[in-house]
Amino acid sequence: MKKFLLSNFLLLVLFSACELTQSEQPAGHFTRIYNQSDFSGSFYPIDIIQAADSGFVILGKTIDPDFTFPVTYLLRTDARGNFMWDNAFSPYVNPLPGGLWREGNDYFTIAMDDISLETYVIKVNENNKVAEQIATLPYQYPLSLAKLESGYLLQYYNRNARNTGMAKLDVAFSEEWSQEYPVLEDAEEPIITHLRSPQPTLPFFSGQITGTSTYFINGFYNFTLSLIFQNTSTPESFGVINGFRDKGAISSAQSLPNGAFALSRYNFDNNFLLPNQTVEPAGIVSADDLAGFEFPELVPGAHVVTKLVEVNGENYIIYASSTKSNQIVLLAYDEAGLLVGSRYIGNNYPYEVGNFTLTGDDGLAITGTTYVAGRFPRISLFKLSATDVRELIAWTGE
Amino acid sequence: MQKIALLFIIGLFLTSNPSIAQFKSKSRNKPSPIASSQWWLGVGGGLNLSNVQVLEEYHVLTPTSGELPQKDYQSFNKIGTQFNLMLSYSFSNISLVLQPGLSRKNFTYENRVEWQSEQNPENGIYIDNVHLQSLNYFDIPLKIRYSFPVSNAIIPFIQGGGYYSILVEADKTIESTGVDNASGSANILPLDNQADEITELIFPSNYGLMAGAGIMVPVGDGMAILEANYHHGFRNIVNDELRYTEDKFVTGAYDVPDDWVLSNISLNFTFAIPLKFVTSKDFVPVNR
């Protein structure tokens, strides 16, 4: 009996001594959908960056019936995707994709005034979470922005002259130079339609060819949606990839270190990816003459985000877009233009890509619009781990 | 699997016949040293009820205002089953029992997501989800059993020990119902149930301690054993790194598993036969 009591005492001690194994929440891989129980709320992400604390700042648009255009909206999360704060910044509307950046604890974006249509640079501080207007730019209808190594490249539409404009701004948002390109017709109606829609209907974007003084914008020129190249060195040169009205055009472009481009284009309902396309910046060609891999799975006129990412010292091109089966698709190509991997995100409910960014832990953060319960537009955040990214690019090294 | 278990049970009943399995001596005057111990082999099965302790909740739907949606866990509400073998070594009133077997453990939780119009709160939509998790483990429990005979017919016992479980398979079913009150009248939403394997989401092994009690009833040369046990796990059974990887549930039903510690109540019936094959006429079997 003594032995029995002893053994039971030992069991009791063992029970009380064992500690539960509690794991830490992984920040490497998670999915979040930022939900608001308000029936009428609508939120659409267009850009994402990582904050100083490895959390995320998502730039989006929200619909406010008091304003003509979608209102600028910021959502802040911690590194694990937990909601920290959000705010809508009226009357600043139509924030630009590619136009979100961070300096310390300040977040910057470029947006438009709802009535005057002027362009503002606004700053939102992490602590007070309110928008401070730090610059007013002399352009109406801002359409796209690229943050350059030194300064910014802004695309706008001059409604009076019916021109598309390209303006190079310095770091203090003063104009270094600008150039306008005639549309030769009134493009205000499709531009207003695009700007009023919370989802992009036309692929406006801006950029710079890596290591050169050649800049490019995708906008209206000569009756068509065209990719315009402008070399600002001496002598100046100009080139264009013409679309077909707004029914066929380049839909995204990423300059590659080898001088080529990773492009995507659409022609009516068809979408094509061109991961390693030689482009003559001083030439004039038609987008339809460029070949590319046809992707019938993408929605017609798909919004495509194309970025160059460096993983383990090698460059890869990642395309993100939306499929007809309501999923977000990631397609990874190597520098030679060979598909190395793909990943599909989403099930049951619709998911549409907004933007993505490489994260500090070599993972990937993708934001997109989802329609919770099949009807309410909300912001989703998919954080892929470094392992996920390696699987995506089929990396086989150590 | 069930057919094999049934055949095994029949086989054990047949082999419990003294003419086949065990010689029972009529002479009990001089217990020899060998009479003070016995090996038993048995087969059994039964029912179980499971519960999970939530260490930390995880959510896909993250509210931008208000509280996180709560998951309402139900305790010990879904019956599971187990089948096992038993090998025990008895000496004096103590038995060392090894009882490996397969178990299926079920547990459920519920949650509701809803949206309302700020202008008219009666305009709203809600979706109720019932989440059923079924975990199949290969369990290896090792128990110490102490019996205290009250009569020759009934031998009560208490027992305690530890167990190590290896995950075989896990699956999950979500039953969803919803009502749309915003379209003019109460409209039942046509939501489909979703089911899929979640083996990768569950950690491959589990371990813990157990305690229980029961009775043994001699049947011929064999022994019928009825026992009730409580098992308490000592680790988070969810695979942390793969928590968000089941896209069907994550993006399709906004669900990820929380950190769970599994506990379990089981009722098990075993029929065992003695293994010592003794030809000595002095043999007196230890029947506990």
Side-chain angles (χ1 to χ4, degrees), chain A residues 138-141 143-144 152-158 161-169 175-183 206 213-221 228-233 235-239:
Chain A
Y139 316 107
Q140 288 187 322
Y141 287 126
L143 295 174
S144 66
Y152 310 88
L153 188 73
L154 178 75
Q155 177 187 186
Y156 61 94
Y157 177 68
N158 182 337
R162 296 182 176 179
N163 289 337
T164 288
M166 181 193 297
K168 169 72 168 57
L169 312 175
E175 182 182 299
E176 289 184 350
W177 56 262
S178 67
Q179 181 74 42
E180 293 198 351
Y181 307 90
V183 183
S206 311
S213 55
T214 299
Y215 302 88
F216 57 86
I217 57 171
N218 201 50
F220 281 109
Y221 165 68
I228 303 164
F229 295 93
Q230 181 68 60
N231 189 331
T232 59
S233 63
E236 290 188 0
S237 64
F238 166 83

Side-chain angles (χ1 to χ4, degrees), chain A residues 79-388:
Chain A
R80 295 171 179 171
N82 295 310
F83 174 78
M84 292 175 67
W85 55 265
D86 68 341
N87 213 350
F89 301 102
S90 57
Y92 307 109
V93 298
N94 179 34
L96 299 184
L100 174 65
W101 69 97
R102 176 179 70 85
E103 291 175 12
N105 282 330
D106 294 325
Y107 308 112
F108 296 82
T109 190
I110 288 189
M112 187 176 85
D113 184 84
D114 190 57
I115 296 172
S116 70
L117 310 179
E118 285 184 306
T119 303
Y120 296 127
V121 182
I122 59 174
K123 180 178 82 174
V124 178
N125 183 265
E126 174 76 47
N127 298 319
N128 61 24
K129 306 171 186 60
V130 296
E132 178 187 352
Q133 185 179 311
I134 61 168
T136 303
L137 306 180
Y139 316 107
Q140 288 187 322
Y141 287 126
L143 295 174
S144 66
L145 183 90
K147 189 171 186 302
L148 310 175
E149 286 184 5
S150 174
Y152 310 88
L153 188 73
L154 178 75
Q155 177 187 186
Y156 61 94
Y157 177 68
N158 182 337
R159 63 193 299 206
N160 299 317
R162 296 182 176 179
N163 289 337
T164 288
M166 181 193 297
K168 169 72 168 57
L169 312 175
D170 64 16
V171 292
F173 306 105
S174 299
E175 182 182 299
E176 289 184 350
W177 56 262
S178 67
Q179 181 74 42
E180 293 198 351
Y181 307 90
V183 183
L184 302 178
E185 65 175 348
D186 187 359
E188 192 168 14
E189 183 181 337
I191 286 174
I192 287 178
T193 301
H194 166 79
L195 295 181
R196 289 200 64 182
S197 168
Q199 300 278 55
T201 60
L202 294 172
F204 296 112
F205 60 83
S206 311
Q208 179 182 12
I209 296 181
T210 307
T212 72
S213 55
T214 299
Y215 302 88
F216 57 86
I217 57 171
N218 201 50
F220 281 109
Y221 165 68
N222 194 15
F223 300 106
T224 71
L225 199 54
S226 305
L227 182 57
I228 303 164
F229 295 93
Q230 181 68 60
N231 189 331
T232 59
S233 63
T234 306
E236 290 188 0
S237 64
F238 166 83
V240 64
I241 300 177
N242 287 311
F244 176 75
R245 306 291 287 175
D246 61 0
K247 306 303 180 194
I250 302 295
S251 53
S252 70
Q254 170 65 53
S255 173
L256 302 178
N258 61 8
F261 269 82
L263 300 175
S264 64
R265 68 180 182 91
Y266 68 98
N267 187 29
F268 291 90
D269 289 347
N270 303 318
N271 293 280
F272 303 84
L273 302 186
L274 306 88
N276 190 9
Q277 178 67 45
T278 302
V279 172
E280 174 49 62
I284 298 176
V285 295
S286 170
D288 203 27
D289 291 339
L290 305 176
F293 303 113
E294 185 172 0
F295 274 80
E297 64 182 328
L298 301 185
V299 294
H303 172 52
V304 182
V305 182
T306 307
K307 291 192 177 179
L308 182 71
V309 299
E310 184 182 321
V311 181
N312 296 108
E314 294 188 26
N315 289 324
Y316 295 88
I317 300 117
I318 296 181
Y319 289 96
S321 192
S322 308
T323 71
K324 291 171 182 168
S325 56
N326 290 322
Q327 292 175 302
I328 293 171
V329 60
L330 301 176
L331 298 157
Y333 290 84
D334 64 14
E335 276 191 298
L338 295 176
L339 180 71
V340 292
S342 64
R343 185 177 182 121
Y344 292 80
I345 299 169
N347 198 290
N348 199 19
Y349 298 120
Y351 291 84
E352 298 167 351
V353 72
N355 215 321
F356 71 89
T357 185
L358 199 67
T359 58
D361 62 354
D362 293 331
L364 213 58
I366 305 125
T367 186
T369 303
T370 184
Y371 296 85
V372 290
R375 56 188 78 192
F376 306 116
R378 297 289 185 266
I379 291 173
S380 55
L381 172 61
F382 305 95
K383 170 66 174 58
L384 304 186
S385 66
T387 305
D388 295 325

